[in-house]
Structures are given as C-alpha cells and as structure tokens.
Amino acid sequence: MGHTKAAANYAASLKAAQEAQAQGYSQVLWLDAKERRFVEEVGTMNIFFHFKEALVTPPLSGSILPGVTRNSVIHLARKWGIETQERPITIDEVLEGMEKGELLEIFGTGTSAVTLP
Ligand SMILES: *Cc1c(COP(=O)(O)O)cnc(C)c1O
C-alpha cells in the first residue's frame, strides 16, 4: 500500500530506519521489493536524481507515494525547460552516475521535508 499515506507504511519502515540511524545514517534509500535494484523512495520522501542531461524520478508504480511535492517539482521543472523523466532508475545507474560525475545531486521531496538535499 505504498501508494497510500497510511500508518502501516511507516510501521513497516521503522525497523530499517532505526538500524540505519544506529549505524550513523540519516535516511534509508528504498529499492523495489522484487528485484531490489530499482530506487523507489528515500525515507518518507519521493526522490529525484539531477543528472547533467535530465532530472529523473521513479515512476508511480503502486508502491511509491504520489506526493504533491513530487508533482509540483515535476511541473515546475518542466515549466522551466528542465528535461524531466519519470522512469525506472537502478541503483547501479545512480552509482555509475556518481563515479562518472554525471549525477550532480540527489534530493528528497515531501510536504514536511520540502526538498532535502
Ligand atoms: C508523505 C510522503 C511522501 C511525500 O508526499 P507529499 O505529498 O509531497 O508530502 C513521499 N513518500 C512517502 C512514503 C510519504 O509518506
């Protein structure tokens, strides 16, 4: 029920968040449950990858919350002429983009977080 803002979604994510915090990390990067290679969200935020050639965010697949902030960022970016893609993105593509210097920044979006680098 990841597409719905429901308490059960938070309950299911608390253990992983606690484990990450115990290891000194501030957020959990969520991959898809089936193949564990497609990025879905970060913490309780939608996620965007700013590559040199485009702004990329995972498509709404049923397990990703259709955030109003996500929607606003997509609309504003397109209005400002920024190439914006809603497409599957693998963790390997993210790591490769970092290594090659093609990935400029990553940010999470949410009403409470606004946009968080
Ligand atoms: C609240 C939430 C978001 C962000 O949604 P907004 O409508 O932008 O606040 C993204 N992912 C999850 C899991 C959330 O609970």
Side-chain angles (χ1 to χ4, degrees):
M1 24 195 261
H3 66 289
T4 306
K5 207 165 198 53
N9 286 328
Y10 295 103
S13 68
L14 288 178
K15 187 170 186 287
Q18 279 181 341
E19 287 175 8
Q21 284 170 5
Q23 293 178 43
Y25 299 100
S26 59
Q27 292 293 340
V28 175
L29 183 67
W30 300 103
L31 305 180
D32 74 289
K34 190 175 176 194
E35 296 187 48
R36 295 183 180 215
R37 63 188 194 104
F38 293 99
V39 179
E40 294 206 325
E41 293 191 273
V42 59
T44 55
M45 295 173 281
N46 292 117
I47 190 164
F48 285 82
F49 299 92
H50 179 195
F51 287 94
K52 278 182 180 168
E53 81 278 6
L55 188 63
V56 179
T57 192
L60 299 177
S61 60
S63 57
I64 294 175
L65 191 103
V68 294
T69 318
R70 173 188 183 277
N71 194 40
S72 298
V73 168
I74 291 169
H75 275 83
L76 283 173
R78 287 184 175 149
K79 186 179 173 188
W80 293 335
I82 298 167
E83 168 66 20
T84 305
Q85 303 169 353
E86 292 177 76
R87 64 167 174 82
I89 179 165
T90 64
I91 189 66
D92 291 331
E93 184 181 346
V94 172
L95 296 174
E96 192 181 307
M98 288 170 66
E99 286 169 11
K100 291 183 174 175
E102 292 167 2
L103 179 57
L104 305 177
E105 68 179 331
I106 303 172
F107 58 92
T109 64
T111 305
S112 59
V114 194
T115 62
L116 187 68

